[in-house]
Structure formats: C-alpha cells, structure tokens
Amino acid sequence: MTESDILVEVRDLKVHFPIKRGLILDRVVGHVKAVDGVDLSIPRGKTYGLVGESGCGKSTLGRALLQLTPPTGGEVRFDGVELTTLAAGKLRTMRRRMQMIFQDPMSSLDPRQNVESILTEGLQTHGIGTDRDDRRRIIGETLDAVGLPRWALSRYPHEFSGGQRQRIGIARALVLGPELIVADEPVSALDVSIQAQVVNLLDELQDNLGLTYLVIAHDLAVVKHISDVVGVMYLGALVEEAPSDRLYSEPLHPYTRALMSAVPVPDPDVEDRRERILLAGDLPSPANPPSGCRFHTRCPWAQPTRCADERPALREIGGSRVACHFAERIATGELRPHKVSAQIVRPEGEGEDPAVVSAPTEPGSYV
Amino acid sequence: MALLEVDDLSVTFARRGQRTVHAVDGVSFSVDAGEVVGLVGESGCGKSVTSLAIMGLLPRQPGLRVGGRAVFDGTDLLQLDDRSRRDIRGRDVAMIFQDPLSSLNPVIPIGLQVTEVLTRHRGMKGEAAQKEAADLLDRVGIPDPRRRLKEYPHQLSGGMRQRALIAMAVACQPRLLIADEPTTALDVTIQAQILELLKELVRDSGTALVMITHDLGVVAGMCDTINVLYAGRVVETARRRPLFREPRHPYTVGLLGSVPRLDAGRGERLNPIPGSVRDVLAWPDGCAFAPRCTRRIDECVGAPPELTLTYDGRSYRCVNPPPVPGTPPPAATDAGAPEPATGGPVPAPREEEKP
C-alpha cells in the first residue's frame, strides 16, 4: 500500500487526563490514561471500526484524532499533514475535511435552530457557496442524499423521530463535503428497525461519495457489519486489529474471544451450541491499570510468566495484529483456559489500599 | 393453571384535549413456573407499561385506565388493594429494572436497601438480616459482600449494581420475577455475566421469569416462549426455535432482517423496516403495522387483525402472513390439530428444550 492510499495515520497517540485534588493548590495526583499508545492507519475509502466496552477510551481516541481533545503525545497525520502541531487557523480549515457524527442526535443538535440554520452554519463558517441560493442548492442535495424531505428545512429537531434526527446529524457532517467521518456510536440510541436504516445509509453514502469512516461503537455486530478492519480496545490500547471477517472466525486475543462469545446472536441454534467465555469481574480503573498486559487480571489464559510484568506490543500474526504474548499457543489449543478469580483494583487513594479479593462463587468463569 | 395468566390487559392514557393513547391493547400471555417468557419489541411498543401494570407500579394519574386481568396464582393482581399488593410485591412477585443507578436509592447504603426487603416480608432484624443480606450478595456473585453492605450505590460498578438489584429481587425467593431490560445499560461481557446469573436462578429455584427486552439475541439465548409486541399488541407468540426459524408475522420477519449478525459476512445490506414507529398513529383502526408492512393488502385496513392460532401454542395477528420457508402450505396444521407423526413410530416433540 502506497503512502497516498492512507488517509489517516496515528502513531503512538496518548491522551492522559490529570486527576486533581485540593482546593487551592490543585495538585495533580495522577493521570487517567484514557488512550495510551495507539497506532492505527485508515486507508482512503475504507471503514475502520473501533470496539470496546465503556471506559476503554474509544471515544477519546476518536475525539483526539479530530483534535477535539488535545492529545498528550503522539502523532496524527491526516492526508500527510501533521495535525497535532498545526496552527489553530489552519486546523480549522482542515476540519472541513473531517467531520463527526455523534451518538445522541437530540443533545448534539441545537433545539432552537431549525434544520436549515443547522446546515447553513457550517457552510458559512467555511465559506462554501457563493450566495444564499447556492447554499440552498448544496443543502437540498445533502437532504436528498440522507433521505430527508425538503420540508424538513423549516422544522426544528424536536419535530423529528430519532432516526430522522440522526439523519440530520449525518447531513450536518456531510454538507461540508468531508473525506473522513468519525461516527461515535451512530446507531446505539436508535431502535433496531431504525438502526438498520441508518447503517444502510452510511454504507450507501460511502459507496457514492467514497467516504472514509472511523466508526466507534460498543455493538460488535454493527461494527463488524459496517467495517473493513476492526480494532478492539481494552483500557486505552488496541489489543487486536483484524479484517472484520477474521475477527469473528478466528479471534486471536483472549479479550476478543471473550467479547465475541458474549455477544448474543439472534439464532437459538447458535446460542445453544457455542461456547461462552465469561470474564470475571469488571474493567479495572484506567487511573491505575494493571502492570504488564492490561488484560491479565481477567484473562482466562494468563500465564505466570511475562503476562504480569511485560506489556505485549502489537505484532503481526497471519494478517491480524495482536497484543498477546501467547496468541499462537492459545490459537493452537496448547494453552488451556483456567478459572480466574475476580480482582478488584481500586483507584489510588480511594477508600482503602488496593485490595485483591477473590470471588468464591463467580458464576461459571468458563462455561 | 399457569402461574401468571395475563388476559386482555389494556392500559390507556387519556388527557383532556388530546387523543387517548392505547399504550397496551389487549395483551394476553401466560407464564408457568420455571419458564422464561420474553416480551420483545421496540421502544413504545408497550412492553414496559405491561410490566408496570402487572406490578401495580403505574403512576396514579387522572386519565389512566387499566383493564383486563392479571391472575397470579388465583388472585387478580389488578384488583388488589394497596395493602395486599404490597404484601405480594417483593415476596411473591419481584422486579428488576433497567437502570440500576436510578432504581437504587443513592443516599442509602446497599445493605439497608437489601435488608429492608427482608424486614418487611420475612420479619428479619439486626444481625440475622445482615447475615442474610451478605449471603444474598454472595449468591449473586458480589465479592466481599460484608464490606459492600456498607457502601453506597455510586461506589459500585454498573454490573455490581445490577447484581445488587437482583439480590434485592430474589431476597424472598419470589415465584415470579419480571426483568425489564436488565442488561441494556451494561457492557456485553457484563451482560453475559448477568444473563448467566438469571439463567442459574431460574434453573435452581424454579422461578418464573418474564424477560422484557428489545435485543433479539438475548431472547434467542434465554426465553422458552416469546411474545413479540408492536404498538401495544402482541403480534406473534411462539416457542423460541419456531419463532426464529419460521417467523409468521411480517414485523418479526422485519426485525430479524434488520439486526446485523455477528456470524454473517461483510457486505450484505440489511433489510430495514421502512418508516418508524411513530407512523402508527395514522391508522388507528387496522393493523398497526400496516403502514410499514411490505405485505399489506386491503384487508389490513379497517379492523385490527384477529389472532390466528396454529399448532404448538403459536399464534400471530396477520391476515397475510409470509409463507413458511421450505414447507408446503400448512393444510394439516389447523388450530389445535396435533403434529402429524411422520417418520418414526414416536412423534418427536417439536421443540427440544433444555432440561
């Protein structure tokens, strides 16, 4: 793949949020490492899906990519231009080419602006269109593209249903003619039958306009449906990146395996037969992540060597990138899963000291 | 006699100057002991209002009318006075809500909220109640229950909160448990833990479970019988496998077609249902789904479709149902007709259920 095929390139991206204590002195007592060293690249015209549970840093990564949250470190290259060091004015003009679709269409649309005003605002800011009529023409074309009627222009967001509101959000991103669209949970606020409409719309727009997507969602089935490549995040870092078909057929990282087996499939035959890997406990706090491999506290395949003290890097295994020391040996079945007891790692300075407690009757850690 | 028999339940909200809203319109279903019954539908289909009506938890307001019957073990829950309803609620019938943070009291420790149930229904006090509460938390998989009893809801993670809520619900070993979207607010790996816990409860104590959800995947893995709701009516009832294998109502077909499947290949388009649920208001008389239905014929408008009963407890409300894939027209399977014994000498049961 040549350099120009890659639209977005992220190198060692870090976003750390300081935890502050005290009223006057405002000491920084620690950092929440929301994103901690992520490398990824998105080819032009393709869809990169980002999945993970809440708190894994996937939304922060999306926002940091668009410089909506300033990254603590690392590089973000968009079409060859380094964004992290770009001057504010230049960044603003770049923003026309990268837009965002938000999760909740109700709270991301101004309730006191009608649709025309919502769509015109961006055009005016970026100086697109010569006059009012020209802008009207652009807006009209955009409305057709997202499947909204023309009479929508004079209406306000509350007059629309959830699916239509999300279409307005998509139109707002689309009206500027962007190349990259970051969609943060674009369908999770919608009903099942409406979800499919919006997913299909995103697919269609990509086919017609050659858009590049970064789709962030917690729903694996949606992400897998829409993406070419899927990255799985856990505690601020990618643990696996694979073509979307491979991710389901041959997940390599233990966390991906557990995630895949936990997603309910609407088919009783599949549900009854497949093996389920139940993870014990909850996500550890990103303020005080486990040493070594972030996942070793909950990993059914964790080994006494290496896992607890050496952080695995992403490495290539047969077309996927996996951050696990023992991925090959797990894939061949050489390593067997074992029961893990739940561990509670408390954030520093909250309550008692970090305690490790084991759950005696954790329901079937491995079923 | 089923444990819970809901018969022609209807809930209407009327407001002066506005059209009466039929949130639930003639819903009937039954739940046996040890059975998991699913109520599936999208937002606004009346699944939560159904459960709240059964529990008597609908806010008392002018214009609210609840009709029909919900017979639990011989007593009609809808006719009870407040006192006897409070006796049953929490002891015989319990409920788990969707959002554990807003259904737990934020300013009262978990322990007190669990022991409250024990004190009210089982008359336990002091150390005995504390010990029982700790045992309950332990049973639902909360580590270090003694310490957790003193903590407040905000100190627990989402999964832990839902476990605490389940502990409260099962404190008196209820015979019927109603779970309203118990895992919607949770992550998938935590969802898997909670569903496993609920399955265990049903298996071990024979509790009947009414599972309310919009997630067809959850239904496929858990429920014995499934009721699909649309616009306040049950549009299809079936056992688990037949429903997914040969859905008879166009809405069920549409729902199944619009869910992206994890085990499907990339590239194939989804088949969404056109329109949105709000279109329902336009056609109040006919089939509520008709405006969005691809199999709409003239008979769909005018009167609501009658319930068609077929074999094995299956029923659907549609005058023009989609054909069953891969089978000839069901001539021999009229209402009540036994399954024809084809092949072996012993007719195999249609539905091989888990033991």
Side-chain angles (χ1 to χ4, degrees), chain A residues 334-355:
Chain A
E334 189 188 331
L335 291 181
R336 298 302 304 162
H338 49 81
K339 269 182 174 273
V340 267
S341 51
Q343 293 199 346
I344 302 167
V345 181
R346 307 198 141 226
E348 271 171 59
E350 189 180 292
E352 300 101 272
D353 287 329

Side-chain angles (χ1 to χ4, degrees), chain A residues 53-54 159 191 193 196-197 200 207 221 224-228 264 266-269 272 278-279 281-282 346 352, chain B residues 42-43 147 151 157 187 189-191 193 217 240-241 244 258 260 262 264 266 268-270 272-273 275 292:
Chain A
E53 297 178 278
S54 46
E159 297 175 83
D191 265 322
S193 67
Q197 295 174 7
N200 277 0
D207 290 351
K224 179 180 170 284
H225 180 86
I226 202 170
S227 311
D228 299 293
D267 185 341
D269 297 330
D272 287 357
L278 279 189
L279 292 181
D282 292 306
R346 307 198 141 226
E352 300 101 272
Chain B
E42 297 176 282
S43 49
R147 200 185 63 202
E151 293 192 340
S157 68
D187 279 317
T189 57
I190 311 296
Q191 164 172 300
Q193 294 172 5
R240 184 166 67 123
R241 278 166 202 275
F244 283 91
S258 52
L262 201 55
R266 151 108 174 115
E268 45 204 272
R269 284 280 149 87
L270 302 172
I273 308 173
R292 303 175 71 188

Side-chain angles (χ1 to χ4, degrees), chain B residues 257-292:
Chain B
S258 52
V259 189
R261 284 184 55 160
L262 201 55
D263 52 353
R266 151 108 174 115
E268 45 204 272
R269 284 280 149 87
L270 302 172
N271 301 307
I273 308 173
S276 67
V277 185
R278 290 220 318 190
D279 300 346
V280 171
L281 299 174
W283 290 17
D285 293 330
C287 170
F289 186 60
R292 303 175 71 188

Side-chain angles (χ1 to χ4, degrees), chain B residues 55-233:
Chain B
M55 293 293 284
L57 289 173
L58 284 171
R60 266 219 199 124
Q61 59 185 43
L64 169 75
R65 289 190 56 178
V66 181
R69 300 188 313 144
V71 181
F72 174 77
D73 198 22
T75 45
D76 188 352
L77 293 175
L78 302 182
Q79 301 302 329
L80 288 178
D81 58 282
D82 284 352
R83 177 177 287 273
S84 34
R85 187 179 275 157
R86 276 200 297 270
D87 282 342
I88 283 189
R89 209 158 49 196
R91 193 187 63 199
D92 296 322
V93 186
M95 188 153 175
I96 302 166
F97 296 91
Q98 171 175 356
D99 181 4
L101 191 56
S102 59
S103 40
L104 289 168
N105 190 333
V107 294
I108 296 177
I110 297 290
L112 201 56
Q113 302 193 43
V114 179
T115 47
E116 199 180 10
V117 190
L118 298 170
T119 312
R120 171 70 174 80
H121 291 296
R122 289 167 64 182
M124 297 175 94
K125 284 210 177 67
E127 186 52 33
Q130 287 287 328
K131 190 173 173 305
E132 180 66 22
D135 283 351
L136 280 167
L137 292 189
D138 190 37
R139 244 182 75 197
V140 297
I142 294 181
D144 199 9
R146 278 277 164 184
R147 200 185 63 202
R148 293 289 172 187
L149 285 177
K150 295 191 207 89
E151 293 192 340
Y152 290 87
H154 75 267
Q155 291 170 294
L156 270 61
S157 68
M160 288 290 170
R161 274 180 224 138
Q162 196 58 284
R163 281 169 196 266
L165 211 59
I166 293 174
M168 286 162 62
V170 300
C172 299
Q173 284 147 12
R175 284 186 287 162
L176 175 68
L177 199 58
I178 300 178
D180 186 359
E181 304 264 12
T183 57
T184 309
L186 307 174
D187 279 317
V188 272
T189 57
I190 311 296
Q191 164 172 300
Q193 294 172 5
I194 298 290
L195 291 180
E196 199 57 41
L197 174 65
L198 285 174
K199 274 186 208 167
E200 236 164 61
L201 284 172
V202 171
R203 199 167 50 224
D204 296 349
S205 54
T207 307
L209 178 66
V210 177
M211 186 87 183
I212 296 170
T213 179
H214 68 277
D215 191 331
L216 288 164
V218 170
V219 167
M222 281 208 69
C223 300
D224 301 316
T225 305
I226 295 157
N227 299 286
V228 182
L229 274 80
Y230 188 79
R233 295 193 190 123

